[in-house]
Amino acid sequence: MRKILGIDPGSRYTGYGLITSDGRHSQHLVSGRLRLDQFGFCDRLGEIYKGIDALIKEFTPDEVAIEQVFMAKNAASALKLGQARGAAISAAVVRGYKVHEYAPRLVKQAVVGTGGADKTQVTHMVRVLLNLKTEELTEDQADALAIALCHAHTGDAEKRIEALS
């Protein structure tokens, strides 16, 4: 079993989810979100860095996965999201982690079975796959857990392919 930290970056809320997985069976360890909307934008980036760094220090994951930037309709929003991702990635890289990146459509495909799934479907399948009955999940938490689950499934396939080469 390996511990995987999934990160759903955002400039107002950054979701995180930590699971253990053997590639077939996964278990929820902890999830939450960094609430950043009370800070100015530059301070938010610092809070993302510090928050991810603290999570890595406390939970010592084996692997880190993050969502790639999607094409937003608003260029300013896409730029802020990219900067939030950069802060989260920097925190992991400084701690010595290779960061695995997944496109939103691939995450949805891995968790729901279709790349066009909506937030409700993703949240539902995260609950099912991790057997979460009573835990309250924000969309940010569910997305972060979905990213971790995607890595658990996709990362194993990549390792098997590399082993065959």
Side-chain angles (χ1 to χ4, degrees):
M1 297 291 269
R2 57 200 170 134
K3 284 192 283 187
I4 302 168
L5 175 62
I7 303 169
D8 178 39
S11 63
R12 295 200 178 275
Y13 299 98
T14 289
Y16 62 87
L18 188 72
I19 64 170
T20 58
S21 183
D22 63 5
R24 289 179 175 227
H25 302 95
S26 300
Q27 183 178 0
H28 175 260
L29 295 178
V30 66
S31 59
R33 68 180 183 173
L34 305 174
R35 184 171 175 232
L36 308 160
D37 58 351
Q38 70 271 28
F39 301 104
F41 183 71
C42 291
D43 290 331
R44 291 178 195 175
L45 299 177
E47 291 298 316
I48 292 169
Y49 182 95
K50 289 189 287 188
I52 297 301
D53 182 66
L55 288 166
I56 289 171
K57 186 176 178 182
E58 180 177 356
F59 295 108
T60 60
D62 299 308
E63 299 172 37
V64 177
I66 193 166
E67 190 171 61
Q68 288 177 340
V69 174
F70 60 91
M71 295 305 292
K73 293 177 184 175
N74 181 331
S77 295
L79 184 58
K80 286 180 180 177
L81 176 59
Q83 291 170 318
R85 283 183 77 252
I89 290 169
S90 294
V93 169
V94 166
R95 287 269 175 193
Y97 288 87
K98 175 182 177 190
V99 178
H100 304 272
E101 301 176 82
Y102 296 96
R105 290 189 65 82
L106 180 60
V107 173
K108 293 173 184 178
Q109 178 73 39
V111 174
V112 179
T114 177
D118 65 26
K119 297 274 189 187
T120 305
Q121 292 170 305
V122 171
T123 300
H124 172 75
M125 285 308 298
V126 164
R127 285 185 173 287
V128 169
L129 292 169
L130 294 174
N131 197 28
L132 300 176
K133 304 251 187 270
T134 59
E135 289 85 351
E136 187 176 319
L137 286 181
T138 66
E139 286 180 357
D140 308 300
Q141 286 174 272
D143 287 350
L145 289 166
I147 293 160
L149 287 164
C150 176
H151 179 67
H153 301 145
T154 307
D156 274 355
E158 288 173 358
K159 286 178 185 172
R160 287 192 299 272
I161 290 167
E162 286 175 11
L164 294 173
S165 301

